[in-house]
Amino acid sequence: REWSKSLVDLTFHLFSEYGLIKLFRLDLLKLRRFLVIVQEAYHSENPYHNALHAADVTQAMYCYLQEPQLSESLTSCDILLGLLAAATHDLDHPGVNQTFLINTNHYLASLYQNTSVLENHHWKSAVSLLRESGLLSHFPSEDRQCLETRLGSLILATDISRQNEYLSEFRTRLDRAELHMNNSQDRHFILQMALKCADICNPCRPWHLCKLWSHKVTEEFFNQGDIERRLNLDVSILCDRNSNSVAKIQIGFISFVVEPLFVEWARFSDTPLSHVMLGHMTSNKFNWTHLPQKDLRGTTQSTFS
């Protein structure tokens, strides 16, 4: 599979392009080893939440980091964190959602007390691999702990169940013109929003890519539904292949999750890229709504985080 090393190669390249290796005195072998164990910690059998999704989100994050509002104000530490968070944001994802973990009394659900179960696990797994690789072992311990905490804050922002909380804060701060990119806390908040956008931006891509990713995520949802049925559990709302379709799920996802977020992002970052993304999103929503079923079928037959 051509993409099998894409997360390693892409992230290594971006670290190099931004000068992070030299600036933070990162050992090349430790960095490569860290990225390889990150890649391997993703489950390749997951149709959607695998290392290719992580590479896709990292690529999108890079695009947002390049936007003038961010590129002119982010520090090297912000960029390091943004790329690390994107690469590790779904680490060791089990291919089922939080509801499933809670309903099956999974140990992760009790460990994290049914709160942001997956996101806490992704964060703790990332910290574990950072420590195991020794990538940041030359940092003063206080700096290392601060970086690990901020990494967690970024990854936890991808919890889709807290979407409205982040979105309303974003909207309010834009309304009041309260976002100041010379303030480190505001920059961190924008990094959170950028990662949220990167995580769910597939409906903002050209139709052929949007369709491909949509079929992959739906396949994962329906796989979960099949397991729930076998276990005599209630089938989760998006996971029932008998009452749902890719188009129906995507129309709801775009309308209630993607569009509200990207409209606000375009207010913050009013650039050609934002307009292109909104244009793709509008046309993709139209396609899901109006195209005949035979044209909606993809080559592949699922949470949104």
Side-chain angles (χ1 to χ4, degrees), residues 46-247:
N46 288 348
Y48 184 82
H49 288 107
N50 52 41
L52 186 58
H53 166 66
D56 186 55
V57 171
T58 303
Q59 182 271 339
M61 189 67 167
Y62 167 72
C63 292
Y64 304 147
L65 295 177
Q66 292 288 99
E67 291 285 72
Q69 281 271 57
L70 285 82
S71 67
E72 291 164 11
S73 57
L74 294 181
T75 67
S76 296
C77 191
D78 294 330
I79 292 165
L80 174 72
L81 268 165
L83 294 176
L84 276 177
T88 62
H89 81 284
D90 272 332
L91 206 55
D92 196 35
H93 196 295
V96 291
N97 65 16
Q98 172 169 289
T99 306
F100 182 90
L101 297 179
I102 292 170
N103 289 344
T104 55
N105 300 312
H106 195 280
Y107 78 94
L108 287 175
S110 52
L111 180 63
Y112 297 115
Q113 300 178 313
N114 298 350
T115 305
S116 297
V117 175
L118 285 169
E119 292 74 24
N120 271 302
H121 178 57
H122 305 322
W123 166 35
K124 296 299 184 182
S125 300
V127 168
S128 173
L129 295 190
L130 275 171
R131 292 178 182 177
E132 182 188 328
S133 67
L135 181 64
L136 308 177
S137 57
H138 58 295
F139 281 29
S141 67
E142 194 177 312
D143 292 353
R144 202 164 59 240
Q145 284 171 352
C146 177
L147 191 139
E148 289 174 357
T149 303
R150 288 182 67 200
L151 180 66
S153 168
L154 289 176
I155 293 173
L156 287 169
T158 64
D159 181 352
I160 210 76
S161 71
R162 296 180 62 198
Q163 180 79 0
N164 289 338
E165 179 188 324
Y166 284 97
L167 187 58
S168 57
E169 183 180 349
F170 195 26
R171 190 177 285 129
T172 301
R173 292 174 78 171
L174 285 170
D175 288 345
R176 295 177 181 167
E178 280 179 356
L179 284 166
H180 305 292
M181 296 299 281
N182 57 353
N183 177 300
S184 64
Q185 288 178 321
D186 287 5
R187 286 200 310 275
H188 184 75
F189 177 68
I190 289 302
L191 276 181
Q192 289 177 312
M193 299 313 296
L195 182 59
K196 288 177 70 57
C197 287
D199 192 24
I200 62 166
C201 68
N202 288 322
C204 302
R205 296 182 185 275
W207 171 242
H208 69 285
L209 291 172
C210 166
K211 190 165 63 163
L212 195 64
W213 286 113
S214 301
H215 279 273
K216 287 182 178 298
V217 78
T218 308
E219 182 184 355
E220 196 167 297
F221 289 170
F222 288 171
N223 287 349
Q224 175 179 320
D226 295 344
I227 298 168
E228 288 170 330
R229 205 173 275 111
R230 283 202 301 273
L231 295 174
N232 291 317
L233 296 169
D234 289 338
V235 177
S236 298
I237 191 162
L238 298 174
C239 302
D240 191 342
R241 66 172 74 244
N242 300 326
S243 62
N244 257 311
S245 66
V246 180

